[in-house]
């Protein structure tokens, strides 16, 4: 278990490691750690983000459990003070994003080989914003990319996972004015896109083989929000969705993508 502690309230954390198997607290401590991180596939290496003196998250490091912190490997170093780093993860990959107010750039770290040089989704271009997610389709290593390239409200593209130029990206879902796309992922053979329309968060779901067959999923409560949940039985044909509202208790729903049945598996106490 990796956990971070902030005792001063300045959001500069100290990273600790604890063995759940035998209850052992590991000796190494890592200072000046920021939000975000992920374990390697074999749980021997932990990737973490550190910040500079201006509290700008700007470096990604790899720490091998049981070794000196001074031996940690620098994975990415963002030198431009206009950009800050954030991370998100899938089962096999860590996605590192560098972003300013008007530009972004992503890299993909393979958690099965975390010390290998990260793959750049595409080069940085002023004004280009995108979010890439690695997926495997029929044995091919691809990327789902949500981008503002040629689309004020963003569109969804597919790309090769080899740092391809954006000119080679292929459109999956065109821009729809008033519907802002955010991120995309794969669950089973379906693409799931988190978006916002008419001020309300929604999910777009469609089979990989038929991007035109889009189903839109809303929070189905007044003034509600929703997002993909990490809890519940995510599977080949099921979505786990967190729903929140100022008027109703928070809950987690599971949606069967085959039958369209939607069941609540958890609900918070009444407010």
């Amino acid at each position: 278990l990796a956990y971070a502690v902030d005792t001063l309230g300045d959001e500069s954390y100290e990273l600790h490691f604890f063995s759940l198997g035998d209850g052992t607290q590991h000796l190494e401590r890592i200072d000046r750690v920021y939000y975000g991180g992920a374990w390697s596939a074999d749980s021997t290496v932990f990737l973490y983000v550190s910040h500079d003196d201006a509290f700008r998250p700007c470096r990604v490091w790899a720490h091998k459990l049981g070794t000196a912190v001074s031996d940690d490997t620098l994975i990415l170093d963002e030198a431009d003070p206009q950009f800050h780093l954030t991370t998100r993860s899938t089962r096999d990959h860590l996605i590192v994003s560098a972003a300013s107010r008007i530009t972004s750039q992503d890299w993909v770290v393979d958690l099965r080989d975390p010390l290998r040089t990260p793959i750049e989704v595409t080069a940085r271009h002023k004004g280009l914003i995108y979010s890439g997610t690695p997926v495997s389709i029929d044995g091919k290593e691809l990327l789902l990319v949500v981008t503002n390239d040629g689309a004020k409200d963003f569109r969804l593209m597919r790309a090769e996972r080899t740092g391809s130029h954006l000119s080679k990206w292929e459109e999956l879902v065109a821009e729809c004015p008033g519907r802002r796309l955010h991120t995309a992922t794969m669950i089973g053979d379906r693409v799931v896109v988190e978006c916002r329309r008419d001020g309300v968060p929604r999910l777009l779901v469609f089979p990989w083989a038929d991007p035109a067959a889009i189903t839109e999923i809303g929070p189905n409560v007044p003034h509600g929000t929703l997002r993909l949940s990490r809890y519940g039985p995510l599977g080949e044909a099921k979505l786990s969705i967190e729903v929140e509202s100022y008027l109703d208790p928070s809950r987690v729903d599971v949606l069967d993508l085959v039958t369209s049945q939607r069941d609540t598996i958890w609900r918070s106490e009444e407010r």
Side-chain angles (χ1 to χ4, degrees):
L1 172 71
Y3 65 97
V5 178
D6 169 22
T7 59
L8 300 176
D10 60 1
E11 299 186 41
S12 180
Y13 293 86
E14 184 179 69
L15 186 61
H16 300 251
F17 300 95
F18 181 81
S19 175
L20 297 175
D22 58 14
T24 301
Q25 183 73 49
H26 290 257
L27 297 178
E28 57 258 50
R29 305 282 190 274
I30 305 177
D31 295 324
R32 302 184 67 83
V33 172
Y34 196 70
Y35 300 103
W39 285 101
S40 62
D42 62 3
S43 299
T44 62
V45 174
F46 189 77
L47 294 113
Y48 64 93
V49 180
S50 68
H51 57 77
D52 59 16
D53 292 338
F55 286 77
R56 179 181 65 96
C58 58
R59 298 182 183 91
V60 176
W61 299 84
H63 173 73
K64 187 173 182 179
L65 206 60
T67 66
V69 176
S70 58
D71 293 333
D72 288 0
T73 302
L74 181 62
I75 303 298
L76 275 172
D77 186 1
E78 178 52 63
D80 190 331
Q82 299 179 89
F83 288 79
H84 65 274
L85 298 183
T86 58
T87 65
R88 52 192 173 89
S89 58
T90 65
R91 183 181 65 178
D92 295 323
H93 299 91
L94 179 72
I95 301 101
V96 183
S97 298
S100 69
R101 291 187 178 274
I102 61 170
T103 305
S104 71
Q105 183 180 18
D106 282 4
W107 295 265
V108 177
V109 179
D110 190 334
L111 294 176
R112 295 161 295 189
D113 188 8
L115 301 185
R116 190 173 69 181
T117 302
I119 297 172
E120 179 187 71
V121 173
T122 198
R124 186 175 301 178
H125 299 280
K126 185 176 181 180
L128 175 67
I129 299 174
Y130 68 86
S131 174
T133 301
V135 296
S136 296
I137 307 294
D138 298 328
K140 295 185 66 176
E141 302 295 308
L142 301 172
L143 290 159
L144 292 174
V145 185
V146 175
T147 180
N148 70 340
D149 178 46
K152 180 180 178 181
D153 282 331
F154 291 64
R155 55 180 176 155
L156 177 63
M157 317 290 281
R158 58 168 284 178
E160 299 292 332
R161 202 189 302 176
T162 54
S164 64
H165 190 272
L166 61 91
S167 64
K168 298 181 180 179
W169 294 354
E170 300 175 16
E171 185 175 87
L172 287 176
V173 177
E175 177 188 22
C176 177
R179 184 184 68 188
R180 169 66 158 86
L181 305 187
H182 293 291
T183 60
T185 190
M186 287 286 296
I187 296 178
D189 64 350
R190 290 168 171 81
V191 178
V192 181
V193 184
E194 297 190 67
C195 68
R196 180 179 292 270
R197 182 171 63 79
D198 299 329
V200 178
R202 305 171 192 270
L203 300 176
L204 305 180
V205 183
F206 61 88
W208 172 261
D210 189 6
I214 293 178
T215 300
E216 184 175 285
I217 301 168
N220 74 3
V221 294
H223 312 293
T225 67
L226 88 168
R227 61 179 177 271
L228 281 177
S229 175
R230 295 175 296 171
Y231 310 103
L234 280 172
E236 288 297 304
K238 291 185 178 181
L239 288 182
S240 188
I241 305 167
E242 294 181 29
V243 180
E244 294 183 335
S245 167
Y246 287 114
L247 304 178
D248 296 282
S250 301
R251 69 175 197 266
V252 176
D253 291 350
V254 171
L255 175 67
D256 190 308
L257 297 174
V258 176
T259 65
S260 298
Q261 182 174 336
R262 184 167 170 172
D263 298 313
T264 298
I265 62 170
W266 177 85
R267 186 184 298 271
S268 68
E269 296 180 2
E270 296 287 341
R271 295 182 179 180

